[in-house]
Amino acid sequence: MDYGDVDLLQQIVVQVRERSSLEPRIAVLLGTGLGGLAERIEAEVTIPYQDLTGMPVSTAESHKGELILGRLCGVPTVAFSGRLHAYEGHSLQEVVVPVRLAKLLGAETLIMASACGGMNPHYDVGEVAVLVDHINLLGGNPLVGRNDERLGGRWPDMIEPYSESLIAAAERAALSQQVRLHEAVYVAVLGPCLETRAEYRMLRVLGADLVGMSTVPETIAAVHCGMRVLAFGIVTDRCLPDALEPANIAKIIEAANSAEPVLAGLISHVLEHEFTT
Ligand code: HPA
């Protein structure tokens, strides 16, 4: 299937539109341990991915796989609870289906949050960072293949992958809520295993503060189709090569869950100040 094809994506949009006509302004994509944010949405409809013919289905632990149309802080929102990852065997084109659906449903802004390994030694577990740039080490790109010009141009530039005005809004939110918010460069790796000490050392040398297995394909697809992106990373484990401790997925999910209220506070503040006109 060519998931870069607008006609194919429209077949999914039609099924969503049979259930709701709500036109979202923002799209929210939630990662590991952060599904709780979706519960803050006043949902008009909740559609399991399985009910949408043509929709790739998420298998990752703690990811529910639902499309929610409703309001978050009064702002019309489409949320995707259940991230699709390349390590599940999805192609990068499949991974970015939610982003493109959001765009076709009307959303102009993409807000994401995900669990990350913290390689910057100043970062503590449970702290939140706003992404300011990224490095793609997935070994692929969601834009590979035929380019459907109805989505965007063949060679989008990546001069501002993360919206500077939304980063500033997130920083104002953090200041007003007295929350520490790092500015991070995120590197995306394929996974599913975590990195070796030598790999963490290399990724740090490359200039990354956070490492994770998501976000970058979605950002690329969003930039391609002209959406602004605001992405947060939750530090769920510290990745210090010379003091590395065994990580476990339960602890990672617990750390993500514990940061969820802070993240929700930041996102709410941004929505209330930037999107309620
Ligand atoms: N590496 C990659 N992805 C991650 C990590 C990590 O250490 N922690 C949480 N997501």
Side-chain angles (χ1 to χ4, degrees):
M1 288 230 244
D2 179 3
Y3 280 108
D5 181 343
V6 169
D7 294 324
L8 195 138
L9 294 163
Q10 285 292 5
Q11 291 173 18
I12 305 175
V13 170
V14 166
Q15 298 169 63
V16 176
R17 284 290 169 240
E18 282 165 5
R19 293 162 166 94
S20 169
S21 61
L22 189 132
E23 191 159 312
R25 289 184 66 197
I26 59 161
V28 176
L29 260 178
L30 305 165
T32 305
L34 299 164
L37 258 181
E39 273 141 43
R40 293 170 194 255
I41 298 171
E42 293 164 47
E44 200 177 281
V45 285
T46 300
I47 314 171
Y49 288 176
Q50 299 97 290
D51 293 0
L52 294 170
T53 307
M55 183 78 187
V57 174
S58 165
T59 62
E61 200 171 330
S62 87
H63 291 237
K64 259 164 114 187
E66 288 174 345
L67 184 157
I68 302 153
L69 265 175
R71 285 173 190 276
L72 186 55
C73 304
V75 182
T77 299
V78 60
F80 296 86
S81 167
R83 208 75 175 262
L84 305 165
H85 298 88
Y87 65 72
E88 296 172 74
H90 294 295
S91 70
L92 292 179
Q93 258 197 2
E94 286 172 354
V95 167
V96 303
V97 164
V99 176
R100 290 174 166 166
L101 287 179
K103 171 73 180 183
L104 295 175
L105 287 166
E108 286 150 10
T109 301
L110 173 63
I111 301 178
M112 290 186 277
S114 64
C116 302
M119 297 184 295
N120 186 321
H122 295 294
Y123 294 7
D124 277 330
V125 168
E127 286 184 340
V128 181
V130 61
L131 305 200
V132 296
D133 210 339
H134 74 221
I135 299 170
N136 179 12
L137 288 188
L138 288 167
N141 189 301
L143 308 184
V144 168
R146 193 179 66 84
N147 185 61
D148 192 327
E149 292 286 330
R150 292 172 291 179
L151 279 173
R154 174 79 286 188
W155 298 285
D157 76 45
M158 294 297 279
I159 192 164
E160 191 182 341
Y162 302 92
S163 160
E164 281 168 23
S165 63
L166 291 175
I167 292 167
E171 287 173 346
R172 286 192 294 274
L175 203 58
S176 87
Q177 299 184 350
Q178 306 267 293
V179 172
R180 189 163 189 214
L181 181 68
H182 300 289
E183 281 193 355
V185 173
Y186 176 100
V187 59
V189 294
L190 181 58
C193 63
L194 302 191
E195 289 63 45
T196 63
R197 287 185 176 85
E199 287 165 343
Y200 285 130
R201 210 169 277 123
M202 172 191 77
L203 297 173
R204 185 78 185 123
V205 168
L206 292 181
D209 302 293
L210 292 175
V211 54
M213 303 170 195
S214 65
T215 309
V216 165
E218 292 94 332
T219 297
I220 292 171
V223 169
H224 175 242
C225 68
M227 296 173 85
R228 295 195 302 166
V229 180
L230 174 63
F232 295 98
I234 315 302
V235 181
T236 55
D237 52 304
R238 298 187 86 202
C239 307
L240 308 176
D242 297 312
L244 197 61
E245 291 182 3
N248 78 45
I249 185 72
K251 277 194 181 161
I252 286 177
I253 292 172
E254 189 188 307
N257 283 332
S258 74
E260 197 259 336
V262 170
L263 189 73
L266 293 176
I267 293 176
S268 304
H269 189 281
V270 170
L271 293 183
E272 279 156 17
H273 289 77
E274 309 298 316
F275 291 85
T276 43
T277 44

